[in-house]
Amino acid sequence: MEAGNAWGQAKSQEANSEKIISITEAARINNVTRQAIYVAIKQKKLKATKDSTRWTIHLDDLEEYRTHKYSRTKSIYDGELLFDNRKGYYSVNQAAKYLNVPAQKIYYATRVGLLKAIRKGAAWVIHIDDIKGYQENYLNQKPKVG
Protein backbone atom coordinates (compact mmCIF):
# COMPACT_ATOMS: atom_id res chain seq x y z
CA MET A 1 0.00 0.00 0.00
CA GLU A 2 2.92 2.33 0.75
CA ALA A 3 4.30 2.06 -2.80
CA GLY A 4 0.91 2.97 -4.28
CA ASN A 5 0.62 5.98 -1.95
CA ALA A 6 4.15 7.17 -2.86
CA TRP A 7 3.32 6.86 -6.55
CA GLY A 8 0.14 8.91 -6.02
CA GLN A 9 2.10 11.65 -4.22
CA ALA A 10 4.71 11.72 -6.98
CA LYS A 11 1.95 11.96 -9.58
CA SER A 12 0.27 14.90 -7.77
CA GLN A 13 3.64 16.69 -7.38
CA GLU A 14 4.20 16.22 -11.12
CA ALA A 15 0.76 17.72 -11.87
CA ASN A 16 1.57 20.67 -9.59
CA SER A 17 4.99 21.19 -11.16
CA GLU A 18 3.30 21.66 -14.54
CA LYS A 19 1.69 24.76 -13.04
CA ILE A 20 5.04 26.14 -11.80
CA ILE A 21 6.94 28.50 -14.08
CA SER A 22 10.14 30.54 -13.99
CA ILE A 23 10.46 34.32 -13.98
CA THR A 24 11.48 34.20 -17.64
CA GLU A 25 8.32 32.29 -18.55
CA ALA A 26 6.17 34.64 -16.43
CA ALA A 27 7.71 37.65 -18.21
CA ARG A 28 7.01 36.09 -21.61
CA ILE A 29 3.40 35.26 -20.68
CA ASN A 30 2.79 38.81 -19.38
CA ASN A 31 4.69 40.41 -22.27
CA VAL A 32 6.94 42.33 -19.85
CA THR A 33 10.60 42.21 -18.89
CA ARG A 34 12.05 39.88 -16.28
CA GLN A 35 12.84 43.00 -14.25
CA ALA A 36 9.12 43.88 -14.14
CA ILE A 37 8.39 40.44 -12.69
CA TYR A 38 11.17 40.85 -10.09
CA VAL A 39 9.71 44.23 -9.09
CA ALA A 40 6.22 42.74 -8.72
CA ILE A 41 7.64 40.00 -6.49
CA LYS A 42 9.67 42.48 -4.41
CA GLN A 43 6.60 44.71 -3.94
CA LYS A 44 4.67 41.62 -2.86
CA LYS A 45 2.21 42.05 -5.71
CA LEU A 46 3.11 38.67 -7.17
CA LYS A 47 3.53 35.56 -5.03
CA ALA A 48 6.68 33.57 -5.77
CA THR A 49 8.94 31.16 -3.94
CA LYS A 50 12.70 30.97 -4.15
CA ASP A 51 14.38 27.61 -4.26
CA SER A 52 18.09 27.63 -3.50
CA THR A 53 18.88 29.79 -6.55
CA ARG A 54 15.80 30.42 -8.65
CA TRP A 55 12.37 31.94 -8.28
CA THR A 56 9.31 29.92 -9.21
CA ILE A 57 5.79 31.18 -9.72
CA HIS A 58 2.58 29.18 -9.62
CA LEU A 59 0.38 29.81 -12.67
CA ASP A 60 -2.63 30.49 -10.40
CA ASP A 61 -0.63 33.24 -8.63
CA LEU A 62 0.38 34.73 -12.00
CA GLU A 63 -3.26 34.76 -13.09
CA GLU A 64 -4.24 36.41 -9.78
CA TYR A 65 -1.56 39.07 -10.34
CA ARG A 66 -2.73 39.71 -13.92
CA THR A 67 -6.36 40.25 -12.92
CA HIS A 68 -5.47 42.66 -10.09
CA LYS A 69 -2.55 44.38 -11.78
CA TYR A 70 -2.54 48.17 -11.76
CA SER A 71 -3.74 49.68 -14.99
CA ARG A 72 -3.90 53.36 -15.84
CA THR A 73 -7.23 52.75 -17.59
CA LYS A 74 -8.74 51.82 -14.20
CA SER A 75 -7.50 55.02 -12.51
CA ILE A 76 -10.03 56.86 -10.39
CA TYR A 77 -9.99 60.55 -9.48
CA ASP A 78 -12.52 62.04 -7.02
CA GLY A 79 -14.48 58.79 -7.13
CA GLU A 80 -14.89 58.75 -10.91
CA LEU A 81 -13.15 56.76 -13.60
CA LEU A 82 -10.47 59.03 -15.05
CA PHE A 83 -10.51 57.81 -18.65
CA ASP A 84 -14.14 56.83 -19.16
CA ASN A 85 -14.32 56.41 -22.93
CA ARG A 86 -18.10 55.92 -22.80
CA LYS A 87 -18.38 59.47 -21.45
CA GLY A 88 -15.81 60.72 -23.98
CA TYR A 89 -12.75 61.05 -21.73
CA TYR A 90 -9.41 59.79 -23.04
CA SER A 91 -5.80 59.63 -21.87
CA VAL A 92 -2.96 61.10 -23.91
CA ASN A 93 -1.98 57.63 -25.10
CA GLN A 94 -5.56 56.75 -26.01
CA ALA A 95 -5.90 60.04 -27.93
CA ALA A 96 -2.64 59.36 -29.75
CA LYS A 97 -3.83 55.89 -30.70
CA TYR A 98 -7.20 57.29 -31.83
CA LEU A 99 -5.46 59.89 -34.04
CA ASN A 100 -2.71 57.50 -35.13
CA VAL A 101 0.04 59.90 -34.02
CA PRO A 102 2.83 59.64 -31.43
CA ALA A 103 1.92 60.50 -27.83
CA GLN A 104 4.58 63.26 -27.88
CA LYS A 105 2.59 65.05 -30.59
CA ILE A 106 -0.43 65.08 -28.26
CA TYR A 107 1.65 66.39 -25.34
CA TYR A 108 3.08 69.11 -27.60
CA ALA A 109 -0.39 70.07 -28.90
CA THR A 110 -1.69 70.43 -25.34
CA ARG A 111 1.36 72.43 -24.25
CA VAL A 112 1.10 74.97 -27.08
CA GLY A 113 -2.69 75.22 -26.82
CA LEU A 114 -3.73 73.43 -30.00
CA LEU A 115 -5.50 70.70 -28.04
CA LYS A 116 -7.47 71.30 -24.84
CA ALA A 117 -6.66 68.90 -22.00
CA ILE A 118 -7.57 68.95 -18.31
CA ARG A 119 -5.16 68.00 -15.54
CA LYS A 120 -6.69 65.60 -13.00
CA GLY A 121 -4.15 64.61 -10.40
CA ALA A 122 -1.09 63.35 -12.24
CA ALA A 123 -2.95 62.67 -15.48
CA TRP A 124 -4.04 64.64 -18.51
CA VAL A 125 -7.62 63.98 -19.60
CA ILE A 126 -8.83 64.90 -23.09
CA HIS A 127 -12.45 64.95 -24.22
CA ILE A 128 -13.36 63.28 -27.53
CA ASP A 129 -14.86 66.53 -28.86
CA ASP A 130 -11.49 68.25 -28.35
CA ILE A 131 -9.69 65.33 -30.00
CA LYS A 132 -11.97 65.53 -33.05
CA GLY A 133 -11.60 69.32 -33.18
CA TYR A 134 -7.81 69.00 -33.13
CA GLN A 135 -8.02 66.38 -35.86
CA GLU A 136 -10.19 68.59 -38.10
CA ASN A 137 -8.40 71.88 -37.46
CA TYR A 138 -4.78 70.76 -37.44
CA LEU A 139 -4.24 67.19 -38.59
CA ASN A 140 -6.52 67.14 -41.63
CA GLN A 141 -5.50 70.57 -42.99
CA LYS A 142 -3.99 70.63 -46.45
CA PRO A 143 -0.59 72.32 -46.59
CA LYS A 144 -0.70 75.84 -48.04
CA VAL A 145 1.09 76.21 -51.34
CA GLY A 146 2.67 79.60 -51.50
Side-chain angles (χ1 to χ4, degrees), residues 39-47:
V39 169
I41 292 168
K42 188 171 183 152
Q43 293 177 341
K44 301 194 183 322
K45 293 180 179 178
L46 174 60
K47 290 182 198 167

Side-chain angles (χ1 to χ4, degrees), residues 54-70:
R54 76 179 225 160
W55 286 96
T56 56
I57 301 164
H58 197 279
L59 275 176
D60 294 342
D61 292 330
L62 184 64
E63 187 57 36
E64 172 83 7
Y65 167 72
R66 290 176 74 180
T67 56
H68 293 98
K69 184 170 82 168
Y70 169 78

